[in-house]
Amino acid sequence: MRPSSDGLGRTTLAAVTVVALVAVAVAGAAITSGQPSQPSADTVLNDTRDRYADAESLVTTANVTVSNATANETATVEFAAAGNQSRTVVETPNRTYRTGANESVAWYVGPNRTAAWDRNASVAPAGSASMPTDLANRSLDDWENVSAEYLRRGSNDGTDAHVVEVRHDGGEETATLWIARSDSRLLRVEMTDGTNRTTVDYRDTRFNVSVHESTFDPPADRIDITSVDRYDTFAAVQANTSLDLPELDATFREASVLTRASSTTVAQQYRDAGDNVTVVSTTSDRDFGRENATAVTVNGNDANVTTVRDRAVVYWERNGVQTAVAVDASEDRALELARRLDE
């Protein structure tokens, strides 16, 4: 099976950001110590976790290879982060993917499409890269019940290293990490799930360096954001947009209006029965996740319901405006909320 170009882009984005702090995932893992003269896997991984978590900024470049029995794909990844802002650029032999987040917006630029959204809106377009931006909060979310073992002392490209293996108990996933003995930075990560093998070779990793604010802005030649404005009441946001907004009979928290030359997107945030609910209205061609979607009806509108990154989303289009309701709950719950909208 050949890794697709789009699949490679998503894999490498995940590899450089998520694998970068695999140690976080095993902070509470079962640890198998090495020989008495060697440090424990616990100590090495905790030092690495702390090294990255304590960094105010991080800049690194990585060579990524994704392969299986029939194919081999490569990419170069450049990653920069400072505080809660980040940017990742993935260069494959024939495609470039860019994604990032500044203080106001998160964005994605691929070969054939672009997207930008209020970073606080919690509903990223389907197909865009999902990337955590908090330096202290990156982990392998899908890896539970893992154990770690100190394998040996070794080297990577001439740098003395600890070699540690992280294994998913009950599964085929394993990750082997080469960690610099001098400063606990990651040098190399090899991952396998039994079918695909991903190798990440980090080079030129720098901590606590100055990163210009403009680094995290979306590329102006592809994404033209005019403004992002926020409002504390439904009446205020409705008064400041030409869109006829739906209203949910729940506790209103805030709303944002993101204006581009070609479109307007309004994201309303509500709280209902303990759930965080986002209601999006947009004139863009944003994709809310058509794959694996189920056709439903919402207040007379032909709609779809699906799950995108663990959020249930119901969406439909009427008169050139897409409406979407997203919640961290079941698809039935999202549908119930959508049908309560006052349009």
Side-chain angles (χ1 to χ4, degrees):
M1 182 177 70
R2 182 177 184 84
S4 67
S5 296
D6 288 340
L8 177 62
R10 289 191 293 270
T11 299
T12 49
L13 284 169
V16 76
T17 56
V18 180
V19 177
L21 282 184
V22 66
V24 177
V26 298
I31 303 295
T32 302
S33 299
Q35 299 300 319
S37 61
Q38 297 172 339
S40 68
D42 191 6
T43 298
V44 173
L45 292 174
N46 281 336
D47 288 348
T48 300
R49 178 198 59 196
D50 293 343
R51 184 74 173 96
Y52 284 80
D54 293 342
E56 295 182 0
S57 66
L58 169 67
V59 176
T60 190
T61 301
N63 295 326
V64 180
T65 302
V66 182
S67 60
N68 55 36
T70 60
N72 184 80
E73 301 284 356
T74 61
T76 299
V77 180
E78 296 179 354
F79 177 71
N84 66 347
Q85 303 182 94
S86 67
R87 185 196 67 182
T88 301
V89 180
V90 177
E91 294 276 358
T92 72
N94 55 8
R95 294 180 180 229
T96 299
Y97 301 84
R98 290 174 284 179
T99 186
N102 59 22
E103 295 289 354
S104 301
V105 300
W107 51 270
Y108 167 80
V109 174
N112 303 313
R113 63 183 299 269
T114 66
W117 60 99
D118 179 0
R119 64 171 298 158
N120 299 320
S122 303
V123 184
S128 60
S130 177
M131 183 176 61
T133 55
D134 183 351
L135 283 172
N137 188 32
R138 298 194 185 97
S139 63
L140 290 175
D141 294 331
D142 294 334
W143 282 37
E144 298 179 352
N145 302 318
V146 298
S147 58
E149 179 182 1
Y150 189 97
L151 297 181
R152 62 185 181 277
R153 288 183 177 179
S155 66
N156 178 264
D157 198 22
T159 300
D160 290 339
H162 302 292
V163 185
V164 177
E165 181 183 79
V166 180
R167 183 176 296 276
H168 184 192
D169 298 337
E172 296 187 61
E173 300 91 343
T174 62
T176 304
L177 292 73
W178 282 257
I179 298 169
R181 293 174 59 191
S182 60
D183 60 6
S184 299
R185 75 185 186 279
L186 277 160
L187 303 172
R188 179 182 175 91
V189 175
E190 295 180 355
M191 294 189 302
T192 180
D193 59 7
T195 300
N196 297 303
R197 179 186 181 88
T198 301
T199 301
V200 183
D201 281 307
Y202 298 91
R203 50 187 173 87
D204 193 27
T205 298
R206 292 171 289 159
F207 298 92
N208 302 320
V209 295
S210 177
V211 183
H212 197 278
E213 289 291 320
S214 62
T215 301
F216 309 113
D217 294 337
D221 61 329
R222 297 291 304 276
I223 298 179
D224 48 351
I225 298 174
T226 304
S227 63
V228 180
D229 300 303
R230 292 185 170 85
Y231 303 94
D232 294 329
T233 66
F234 176 82
V237 67
Q238 180 61 88
N240 285 277
T241 179
S242 60
L243 300 183
D244 186 10
L245 301 178
E247 185 175 9
L248 183 65
D249 58 336
T251 301
F252 184 93
R253 300 174 63 191
E254 66 171 353
S256 64
V257 179
L258 188 152
T259 305
R260 299 177 62 180
S262 58
S263 65
T264 298
T265 299
V266 180
Q268 303 178 58
Q269 307 289 335
Y270 291 89
R271 185 78 172 170
D272 185 78
D275 292 326
N276 293 319
V277 184
T278 304
V279 179
V280 176
S281 304
T282 182
T283 59
S284 71
D285 59 354
R286 183 169 174 172
D287 180 7
F288 288 100
R290 301 187 186 281
E291 293 184 7
N292 302 317
T294 301
V296 293
T297 301
V298 175
N299 303 333
N301 299 298
D302 292 331
N304 291 283
V305 60
T306 188
T307 298
V308 179
R309 300 189 189 91
D310 299 324
R311 296 204 96 201
V313 182
V314 180
Y315 62 92
W316 61 95
E317 182 177 354
R318 185 175 65 183
N319 299 327
V321 178
Q322 288 194 90
T323 302
V325 177
V327 61
D328 293 321
S330 67
E331 293 183 2
D332 287 343
R333 171 69 165 144
L335 188 56
E336 178 256 319
L337 290 163
R339 288 170 173 165
R340 282 169 45 191
L341 283 180
D342 182 3
E343 298 185 89

